[in-house]
Amino acid sequence: MLANESLGGLLLSHEDVYVITILREGTYSYVSPSFCEDLGLDCQDIIGQSSLLVVIPEDQSKCAEAAAFCFSNPHQPFHTTLRKRFKDGTIYVTQWEFIGLFDTSRQVGKILGIGTNITRRVNVAARQQYLTNLLNTTQAIANIGGWEVDLLT
């Protein structure tokens, strides 16, 4: 087995990494098992379906932008964050790198996407921001009015 094949197999089987390919028509031609598992769908049911299948409506314009870039700029990566609604109704935040791939006629025939689920990281950052704001507000309120410290009683 070649080193690249081993590395590719490791990448495709890694549960935190999603690998997809999207045809020019905008349909999935490959989805990794980890992507299907998190979606709660069978991989064979996703192949041939629109790549917008699980992307929330507010983020679908990012997909169009990514596709336009990848088909116009082969082998140049396009980075974006997409929110996807999974089968259980949960919205996951995913970070992607997309790149256009040449077909046998030297035309960009499909887009390769490699993504990760960053929902936990985003939630932790949001919680940290909330707590920082709460602390700042509490400190501001504590400085309102006059304070007197009586150390004798």
Side-chain angles (χ1 to χ4, degrees):
M1 181 180 296
L2 298 173
N4 286 346
E5 290 173 350
S6 177
L7 179 60
L10 178 63
L11 179 65
L12 293 178
S13 66
H14 197 280
E15 64 186 36
D16 293 334
V17 176
Y18 304 142
V19 179
I20 61 173
T21 57
I22 302 167
L23 299 175
R24 185 172 281 281
E25 301 79 37
T27 59
Y28 290 116
S29 59
Y30 174 81
V31 288
S32 64
S34 59
F35 186 71
C36 299
E37 184 176 318
D38 280 354
L39 282 171
L41 299 171
D42 184 272
C43 288
Q44 294 306 314
D45 293 339
I46 299 172
I47 302 300
Q49 297 292 319
S50 170
S51 60
L52 301 177
L53 177 70
V54 294
V55 177
I56 67 167
E58 297 84 2
D59 286 358
Q60 290 182 3
S61 62
K62 292 180 182 180
C63 295
E65 183 182 356
F69 180 89
C70 290
F71 286 118
S72 301
N73 302 283
H75 293 293
Q76 292 184 25
F78 182 91
H79 297 92
T80 193
T81 301
L82 298 171
R83 292 168 292 168
K84 296 179 176 273
R85 182 176 312 280
F86 286 20
K87 189 174 183 178
D88 67 1
T90 304
I91 294 178
Y92 288 90
V93 182
T94 55
Q95 190 167 29
W96 291 91
E97 179 175 303
F98 295 107
I99 192 163
L101 300 177
F102 288 117
D103 60 18
T104 56
S105 61
R106 302 287 301 151
Q107 300 294 318
V108 178
K110 60 183 162 185
I111 296 172
L112 170 67
I114 299 175
T116 56
N117 183 342
I118 61 166
T119 305
R120 189 174 318 172
R121 186 176 352 147
V122 169
N123 289 343
V124 166
R127 179 74 174 156
Q128 181 179 13
Q129 184 61 49
Y130 168 77
L131 292 174
T132 299
N133 292 341
L134 182 62
L135 177 62
N136 291 338
T137 301
T138 303
Q139 288 173 334
I141 290 171
N143 289 327
I144 296 174
W147 292 85
E148 185 176 310
V149 177
D150 182 359
L151 299 176
L152 298 175
T153 55

